[in-house]
């Protein structure tokens, strides 16, 4: 029996600035695996960032997110970036590696810890890779936290530039069962 249970699958098939995935975090699991596959957009490089959705259905936009990541890749220099008291995981810098115009795309695997718990912060770590508009590969390792002790039931990804849209992609959310 698998320790992963598919909770939600969302396909992006038309241009949208953001996508909200609701009612995926619950008391059933403490750890979630989220995959982002083949994300593309309608312009050159753009930054996909992430925010949580609370149990009231509101997107958490308060400046309570801290994040850090390291970029690696061909043709670019390695870089370390961080943000504190941000309004999202990633801000003007992408949480998921910036997407590029089809046929280039980005993909990522993210783990989220304790999002439904109202007595602890929500933590996340992510690995992503993609090809940016200059046809250079880029890989990212990231960590982040929402510093609120409130129950989160979902998340939103969106382009940090309002004039840019995500045009394709697949997002799958799994609950991870931990056997004792």
């Amino acid at each position: 029996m698998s320790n992963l249970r598919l909770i939600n699958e969302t396909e992006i098939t038309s241009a949208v600035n953001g996508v909200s995935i609701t009612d995926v975090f619950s008391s059933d699991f403490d750890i979630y695996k989220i995959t982002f596959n083949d994300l593309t957009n309608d312009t050159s490089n753009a930054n996909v960032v992430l925010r949580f959705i609370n149990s009231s259905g509101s997107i958490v936009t308060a400046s309570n997110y801290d994040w850090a990541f390291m970029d690696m890749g061909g043709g670019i220099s390695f870089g370390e970036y961080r943000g504190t008291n941000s309004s999202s995981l990633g801000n003007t810098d992408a949480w998921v590696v910036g997407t590029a115009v089809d046929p280039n795309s980005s993909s990522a695997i993210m783990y989220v810890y304790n999002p439904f718990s109202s007595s602890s912060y929500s933590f996340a770590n992510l690995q992503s890779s993609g090809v940016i508009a200059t046809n250079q590969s880029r890989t990212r390792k990231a960590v982040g936290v929402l510093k609120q002790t409130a129950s989160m039931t979902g998340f939103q990804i969106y382009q940090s530039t309002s004039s840019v849209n995500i045009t394709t992609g697949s997002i799958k959310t799994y609950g991870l069962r931990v056997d004792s």
Side-chain angles (χ1 to χ4, degrees):
M1 178 172 203
S2 173
N3 284 347
L4 287 177
R5 186 176 91 197
L6 179 63
I7 297 169
N8 178 281
E9 183 172 1
T10 300
E11 293 289 331
I12 302 167
T13 58
S14 61
V16 292
N17 180 261
V19 176
S20 292
I21 313 286
T22 59
D23 301 320
V24 291
F25 304 143
S26 70
S27 60
D28 293 341
F29 300 98
D30 293 327
I31 303 171
Y32 295 84
K33 177 182 179 179
I34 301 168
T35 62
F36 304 90
N37 290 303
D38 300 323
L39 295 175
T40 62
N41 69 44
D42 58 4
T43 188
S44 59
N45 285 344
N47 296 324
V48 176
V49 296
L50 184 138
R51 297 186 288 208
F52 287 105
I53 299 172
N54 65 26
S55 58
S56 299
S58 299
I59 298 167
V60 178
T61 59
S63 297
N64 294 114
Y65 295 91
D66 290 353
W67 52 269
F69 59 79
M70 180 171 45
D71 270 346
M72 303 156 276
I76 64 167
S77 58
F78 285 50
E80 294 179 5
Y81 307 89
R82 65 182 168 274
T84 57
N85 301 318
S86 296
S87 61
S88 60
L89 290 177
N91 201 345
T92 54
D93 292 306
W95 176 249
V96 176
V97 164
T99 57
V101 177
D102 192 23
N104 296 331
S105 66
S106 63
S107 296
I109 297 174
M110 178 174 73
Y111 288 91
V112 178
Y113 307 90
N114 302 315
F116 194 73
S117 172
S118 59
S119 62
S120 68
Y121 291 167
S122 298
F123 291 88
N125 67 302
L126 173 130
Q127 299 179 111
S128 63
S129 64
V131 176
I132 59 176
T134 54
N135 288 323
Q136 296 173 332
S137 63
R138 182 173 287 178
T139 300
R140 176 164 293 156
K141 296 277 250 180
V143 294
V145 60
L146 171 59
K147 299 177 297 182
Q148 284 187 5
T149 52
S151 183
M152 301 297 139
T153 56
F155 61 95
Q156 177 198 47
I157 64 164
Y158 68 100
Q159 294 284 4
S160 62
T161 304
S162 61
S163 62
V164 178
N165 292 305
I166 302 169
T167 52
T168 63
S170 171
I171 304 165
K172 293 181 182 178
T173 304
Y174 300 87
L176 177 62
R177 188 183 78 223
V178 177
D179 295 330
S180 48

